[in-house]
């Protein structure tokens, strides 16, 4: 059951934290957490809060467009950084600390961009639920002195969704997203072509009406589809259409994960070892 008093206290704490920054650059992806953080920062600081987004092959095009549209509609200044992430040393090899390598490089660039605007404080949207999963990127965030005000305020994902709904944000019930690199098995090379395969495969699932999904890629040619457990049966009538479309995208084998969608499923192999 929702505890609105507790949520509002945490929201007030978040507002106090943001007010203390004076000026802030918010790392903005357009997802549930960063949208709520940016909106709250904008409410508290006005034009002293700016959004910084990174455009790369790790981010689906529609996500980038939604982020840009949100800032445009609210009149929030948006700074876009183009990043050739596959050229970051060691990243395309997809080691278990891939997220650390990526965030260290990208947040260094965000910090440089903020410095040019004489903005000292940078905030990102991790919430308390993220602390329970394997998140090597959090180490890079700490090393660079990036703020995680949602964590500091004690806000979890469900609370952020509730408060986002109160603010009439369109993202309050948006499915969880993650960078496309998270679809690859650790140790298997990430390529631009395979990233596009995954992006287009997931777009097909979206068009077919699935709300929460992932297409994980194994060995460069096997697709493992994850949808909500209660929606797995809906894949069967669409089997032929999905199989044909995925084969056209370049997949040789198409499978369904009977465990259903869960965040960070590629991390399960690390925990088993």
């Amino acid at each position: 059951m929702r505890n609105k008093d507790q949520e509002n206290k945490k929201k007030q704490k978040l507002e106090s934290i943001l007010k203390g920054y004076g000026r802030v650059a918010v790392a903005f992806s357009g997802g549930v957490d960063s949208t709520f953080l940016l909106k709250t920062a904008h409410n508290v600081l006005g034009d002293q809060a700016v959004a910084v987004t990174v455009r790369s092959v790790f981010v689906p095009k529609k996500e980038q467009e939604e982020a840009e549209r949100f800032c445009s509609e609210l009149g929030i200044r948006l700074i876009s950084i183009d990043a050739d992430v596959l050229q970051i040393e060691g990243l395309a090899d997809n080691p278990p600390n891939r997220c650390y390598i990526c965030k260290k490089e990208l947040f260094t660039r965000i910090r440089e961009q903020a410095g040019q605007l004489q903005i000292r404080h940078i905030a990102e949207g991790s919430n308390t639920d993220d602390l329970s999963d394997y998140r090597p990127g959090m180490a890079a965030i700490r090393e660079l002195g990036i703020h995680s005000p949602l964590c500091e305020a004690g806000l979890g994902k469900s609370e952020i969704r509730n408060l986002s709904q109160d603010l009439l944000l369109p993202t309050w019930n948006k499915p969880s997203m993650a960078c496309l690199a998270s679809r690859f098995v650790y140790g298997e090379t990430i390529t631009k072509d395979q990233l596009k395969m995954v992006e287009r495969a997931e777009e097909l699932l979206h068009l077919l009406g699935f709300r929460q999904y992932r297409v994980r890629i194994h060995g460069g040619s096997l697709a493992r589809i994850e949808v909500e457990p209660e929606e797995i049966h809906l894949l069967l009538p669409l089997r032929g259409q999905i199989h044909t479309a995925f084969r056209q995208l370049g997949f040789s084998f198409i499978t369904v994960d009977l465990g259903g969608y869960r965040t960070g499923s590629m991390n399960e192999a690390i925990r088993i070892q």
Side-chain angles (χ1 to χ4, degrees):
M1 181 178 294
R2 181 179 181 185
N3 188 331
K4 293 194 69 171
D5 287 341
Q6 185 179 62
E7 289 175 355
N8 285 327
K9 287 180 181 178
K10 292 181 179 182
K11 181 173 180 287
Q12 290 170 5
K13 182 176 181 180
L14 173 64
E15 291 170 344
S16 177
I17 292 168
L18 293 169
K19 186 176 181 180
Y21 296 158
R23 300 184 69 198
V24 66
V26 177
F28 183 53
S29 67
V32 178
D33 303 323
S34 66
T35 298
F36 172 70
L37 176 59
L38 178 61
K39 171 61 174 173
T40 305
H42 180 66
N43 287 348
V44 172
L45 297 172
D47 292 342
Q48 299 305 306
V50 302
V52 183
T53 188
V54 176
R55 294 184 295 207
S56 78
V57 291
F58 283 178
V59 183
K61 184 178 179 180
K62 69 182 182 67
E63 292 295 304
Q64 297 175 14
E65 292 173 346
E66 287 177 6
E68 292 168 0
R69 184 163 54 249
F70 179 82
C71 290
S72 176
E73 290 174 353
L74 269 68
I76 298 173
R77 182 179 181 183
L78 175 65
I79 299 167
S80 296
I81 297 173
D82 291 308
D84 190 354
V85 288
L86 293 181
Q87 294 304 310
I88 298 173
E89 185 177 359
L91 188 60
D93 295 332
N94 198 24
N97 68 335
R98 177 202 69 238
C99 192
Y100 172 85
I101 297 171
C102 187
K103 286 191 181 297
K104 189 68 178 284
E105 173 67 23
L106 297 186
F107 273 96
T108 295
R109 295 186 59 178
I110 290 173
R111 178 165 288 289
E112 291 171 353
Q113 187 68 55
Q116 293 176 17
L117 299 174
Q118 297 183 326
I119 297 176
R120 291 177 48 221
H121 298 283
I122 301 166
E124 61 88 38
S126 295
N127 66 71
T128 57
D129 291 354
D130 295 325
L131 303 179
S132 62
D133 193 13
Y134 174 66
R135 303 269 179 171
M138 295 296 290
I141 288 169
R142 290 191 297 269
E143 289 174 10
L144 292 170
I146 309 300
H147 300 293
S148 301
L150 298 178
C151 286
E152 190 175 343
L155 285 161
K157 177 69 81 172
S158 63
E159 294 170 318
I160 292 167
R161 288 189 182 277
N162 289 337
L163 292 169
S164 295
Q165 186 175 20
D166 293 344
L167 290 172
L168 304 180
L169 293 175
T171 50
W172 76 269
N173 65 343
K174 183 177 182 177
S176 296
M177 293 298 297
C179 93
L180 293 173
S182 67
R183 315 308 197 258
F184 287 71
V185 177
Y186 291 119
E188 294 187 0
T189 302
I190 300 173
T191 70
K192 185 175 181 179
D193 287 345
Q194 290 173 355
L195 286 165
K196 284 297 180 185
M197 286 167 59
V198 169
E199 181 178 358
R200 289 167 181 164
E202 291 192 348
E203 180 63 22
L204 173 65
L205 295 180
H206 172 73
L207 293 174
L208 290 174
F210 293 94
R211 179 179 177 277
Q212 187 69 75
Y213 46 79
R214 292 287 187 272
V215 175
R216 314 286 187 183
I217 184 168
H218 296 254
S221 63
L222 185 148
R224 174 167 59 89
I225 300 172
E226 296 179 11
V227 298
E228 295 282 11
E230 61 272 19
E231 293 189 339
I232 290 176
H233 73 282
L234 299 177
L235 290 167
L236 188 57
L238 302 168
R239 181 185 65 83
Q241 181 179 355
I242 293 173
H243 184 267
T244 298
F246 277 39
R247 287 293 298 269
Q248 290 174 345
L249 290 174
F251 292 105
S252 299
F253 307 98
I254 300 91
T255 67
V256 176
D257 190 320
L258 297 181
Y261 165 78
R262 64 268 190 206
T263 183
S265 69
M266 286 303 194
N267 296 335
E268 294 171 5
I270 295 177
R271 290 193 286 266
I272 290 171
Q273 293 175 357

